[in-house]
Structure formats: C-alpha cells, structure tokens
Amino acid sequence: MSALCLTLAEQSLATLNEKIRHYAGRVAFIEVRLDYLADPGGSPQLPSTPTRFIATCRPAGEGGCFQGSEAERLKILQNSIDIGFSWIDLEQSVSVYPAAFQDVSVLRSHHDFFGSPSDPTELYREMRRLPGQAVKLAVTPLDGRQAVRLLQWAEGLPGDHRKVILGMGRVGQPTRVLGPLLGSLWTYVVEDGERAVAPGQFSLPETSGVLRLESWNGSEGRPSLYAVLTETDFGFRICRILNRLFADRGLRAACLPLAVDEVVPWLEYLRKSSLHFQGLAITGGLARGAAETHLGTVGLPDEAVDTLRRTVNGWETGSTGSALDLPGTMVPSESRAWVSWLAGQFRFWTGTEAARDALEAYLEQEMQGREREES
C-alpha cells in the first residue's frame, strides 16, 4: 500500500509539535527529522492517530544535520521508540543494531547525492540482507535515461518487497510520482517548496488532488492513468485541472505530471511500462522538441505530436491544435490558449467535451493559487 509521507524538519520542538498536531490524520506517514532540532534529544509529542511516524536523525556525513557522536545518535533513535514512533530510518552504513530496534519497523536507507548506479541490483541485495523491515534507495539520476533506467529496474523487483525507490533532484522527480505505483511504500513530500530537505521533493499543496495514492488502494483498484510530460514547474496544476474534468464526467481516471527535460526516453518507457498509461500529453517546448525529433525510433511517426492515447493496436497520436504554441507560463493573459489546450486534450483522451465555463473556473483557481505562492 503506497501513501504520502510528509517530512517535518524544525529547529524548535514547540513548532514541531504544533505541526505534528496540524498534519496528524491528514497524511498516512509523517517523517520527523530529529536532526534538525536545536536539541535532537527532545521528545516530540505524537498524538493518537492513524498516521504513522518515522524517526530520522540523519548524520552530517549522510546529508543530515546531526553533529554528535554515533552513540548519541543511536540513543536518540532508541528513545524515539518509547515516544511512539513506529518506524526508524537507519542508514545502510550503520553496523550496530541495538536490540531495542526489534520493537519497531526499521527502514534501511542509502543515499547517493551525486549519481545513480547503472544496475542497483547488488546494492539492493546487500541492503535487504541487513536487519530491518524495508529498504530505501535514493539516488541521483543525471539525465532522463538514468531516471528511466531506475524505474525499469524497480519494475522488475518482486511485489512483496517492502521498499522505497526514488531519484533525487529535478531529473529524478518523475520517479517520486511513479515509484509508489511500482511498489514503493510511500513518496516524500514537504509543507512547501522552501522546506525541501532533499533535492526534488514535492510540496503537499502541489500533490493535493493529484497524488491520491491512499484512495487508489481500495477495492476498486487503481484508476486509468494518464500523464503530462512538461518542462515547466506547473505540471501538478495542469493535472489537477484534468483530474477535476475526469471527476465532472464520473470517470475513474487520474492524470500525473512528469517534469522532464527530454521526451524520447520517457516515451520509450511509458509505451512499454507495466503501468499501462492510457494517454500522454506533451506540453510547450517539449512538444516543439518532439516535432523536431525522429520519433520513429520509439514507434511514433516523424511529425508534430503533442498528445497520444492507447488503442488496441498501440498508440494513436494527434494534436490539440494549439500545443506547439502553448505558453511557457500560466498567467491570466494567456488563459485562452490554456483553455483551448486543456479542452482539446480532454476531448482527445476521452472522446467527450469539457464544459468550458468549468474549465475556465478551474484554470482561474490554479492561476490565483500560483499568484499567492509568488507574492
């Protein structure tokens, strides 16, 4: 079962406790970064709630803030069990495994902030042999093909493995979206973009209405999946609008944003992936790049393509009519182009018309939200 995990990193224990109370019950997991506290040995107050809490006290050498001794750090993590934490994040490099850790779920983690192995298999096997209940592998893809390779590798892992697989940085962001669909226990989010504790983390407001992972784990199963490939920073806003249109029509479908810098590796991957996406959209500059790329190498015609949908015979390609001139920003003066593109995209994917007044209202809400964030 995949879910959102909200990371809270505060210097003040009082502020941390206030935020824990605010978010408890709103997300499935909360990771508390004890190493960010002015006094890492402080005791957060965990309310009785369905939310499960993860204790992390990352040392400076692993990208964290804790400057004390290893013995002190392990003692802090042991004390977190008595406080009520149900998970502890313990780095792969830690050889000491206190007996107290038998009473809690342990996530064995490995972070590489500089690269991504071409084949993580042996590293993953080593980590699974360590004491613990789950494995976290966080690496840094340097380009789209490395990010795709990480996801292809993750698809081949047994479904019963408890794991969190993700790519850090801008290039790795699509793995944070797709990883949970491939079996990761959760994907990390933060309160807002200014509070990211690892490169490429999304904010909780961004993911609202888009990554509804918990709701996809019920008896009805996963919805039909669509993706928007975009080089801009408002992919979540586009997908939130399209998801509202799906809901308006009573369609069990979800649109996910994939922020990418190149098209071909992702078209190759999504065409063959077991996730079986039903449609893809390519926005703005990426669409212009796709028009100049030999898409025949990925089984698509060498022509201007900005939208695809799956058919019984494979991918059918088309154009919404305005995508090659789609604005690179989402501002009121360009709303007409956005409404045309969104309406055309929805029509091509579903064969139904979107109510333009509803679409304009949804777009205005997203634009206002963006203006509030920038003010």
Side-chain angles (χ1 to χ4, degrees):
M1 174 175 162
S2 298
L4 293 178
C5 176
L6 173 66
T7 297
L8 294 178
E10 299 292 336
Q11 288 188 321
S12 163
L13 182 59
T15 302
L16 175 63
N17 286 332
E18 180 182 346
K19 292 188 175 182
I20 288 175
R21 288 192 297 271
H22 178 72
Y23 289 109
R26 297 176 56 183
V27 291
F29 293 90
I30 291 178
E31 179 192 35
V32 177
R33 290 295 299 264
L34 299 172
D35 53 305
Y36 274 72
L37 286 170
D39 176 12
S43 298
Q45 298 173 358
L46 307 184
S48 178
T49 171
T51 295
R52 284 160 286 178
F53 294 89
I54 305 168
T56 299
C57 188
R58 191 84 67 217
E62 294 269 359
C65 300
F66 187 76
Q67 300 285 349
S69 70
E70 183 67 355
E72 292 171 330
R73 192 175 75 92
L74 290 177
K75 183 62 175 177
I76 290 170
L77 290 173
Q78 288 183 68
N79 291 341
S80 71
I81 301 173
D82 297 330
I83 296 171
F85 283 89
S86 54
W87 282 85
I88 286 176
D89 184 310
L90 191 66
E91 296 76 16
Q92 175 202 12
S93 58
V94 178
S95 57
V96 177
Y97 197 85
F101 288 0
Q102 302 293 336
D103 299 326
V104 69
S105 294
V106 174
L107 177 71
R108 299 307 295 254
S109 63
H110 171 88
H111 298 80
D112 186 341
F113 294 93
F114 303 103
S116 177
S118 58
D119 184 1
T121 301
E122 186 54 39
L123 170 62
Y124 182 75
R125 286 175 179 165
E126 291 177 4
M127 295 181 67
R128 278 185 49 82
R129 287 194 286 265
L130 297 172
Q133 283 66 49
V135 165
K136 174 188 177 184
L137 185 61
V139 297
T140 305
L142 302 181
D143 57 35
R145 293 197 178 276
Q146 287 190 6
V148 163
R149 194 160 55 230
L150 178 64
L151 289 172
Q152 290 172 327
W153 172 81
E155 285 200 43
L157 297 177
D160 60 349
H161 284 193
R162 304 182 79 190
K163 57 192 178 291
V164 178
I165 308 295
L166 63 91
M168 295 184 287
R170 164 80 178 186
V171 171
Q173 283 185 325
T175 70
R176 294 181 180 273
V177 174
L178 300 178
L181 302 178
L182 298 173
S184 285
L185 294 171
W186 53 72
T187 192
Y188 294 90
V189 296
V190 289
E191 284 187 284
D192 58 61
E194 300 299 318
R195 294 182 173 274
V197 298
Q201 281 182 318
F202 297 118
S203 72
L204 186 58
E206 271 184 314
T207 61
S208 174
V210 180
L211 294 185
R212 296 173 287 119
L213 300 172
E214 292 90 337
S215 68
W216 300 347
N217 291 311
S219 58
E220 296 183 18
R222 186 183 298 164
S224 298
L225 296 175
Y226 298 83
V228 172
L229 279 67
T230 174
E231 61 183 353
T232 67
D233 62 352
F234 46 75
F236 277 101
R237 297 185 184 280
I238 298 172
C239 291
R240 190 154 38 235
I241 294 171
L242 289 168
N243 286 338
R244 288 174 174 174
L245 296 179
F246 286 141
D248 287 348
R249 289 290 180 175
L251 301 174
R252 183 165 171 76
C255 188
L256 303 175
L258 303 180
V260 303
D261 296 323
E262 50 187 331
V263 175
V264 171
W266 289 99
L267 290 180
E268 289 177 335
Y269 171 68
L270 294 170
R271 184 167 64 95
K272 301 175 182 178
S273 171
S274 62
L275 296 175
H276 205 72
F277 277 82
Q278 298 303 303
L280 308 174
I282 309 172
T283 72
L286 287 175
R288 288 189 289 274
E292 299 167 359
T293 300
H294 294 293
L295 292 177
T297 61
V298 293
L300 299 175
D302 297 334
E303 60 186 33
V305 171
D306 70 290
T307 184
L308 304 88
R309 63 186 175 195
R310 193 181 291 275
T311 68
V312 293
N313 297 318
W315 289 107
E316 178 182 354
T317 63
S319 173
T320 62
S322 63
L324 297 186
D325 297 316
L326 194 67
T329 57
M330 186 180 281
V331 295
S333 62
E334 296 163 342
S335 61
R336 182 174 299 178
W338 277 108
V339 168
S340 297
W341 184 83
L342 289 161
Q345 186 62 64
F346 188 76
R347 184 189 312 112
F348 183 75
W349 278 350
T350 68
T352 61
E353 295 289 339
R356 293 187 72 90
D357 56 346
L359 183 50
E360 289 171 358
Y362 296 154
L363 182 61
E364 182 178 357
Q365 291 172 16
E366 291 301 325
M367 289 179 174
Q368 290 175 347
R370 183 175 179 84
E371 290 173 354
R372 285 195 297 271
E373 291 174 3
E374 294 177 346
S375 63

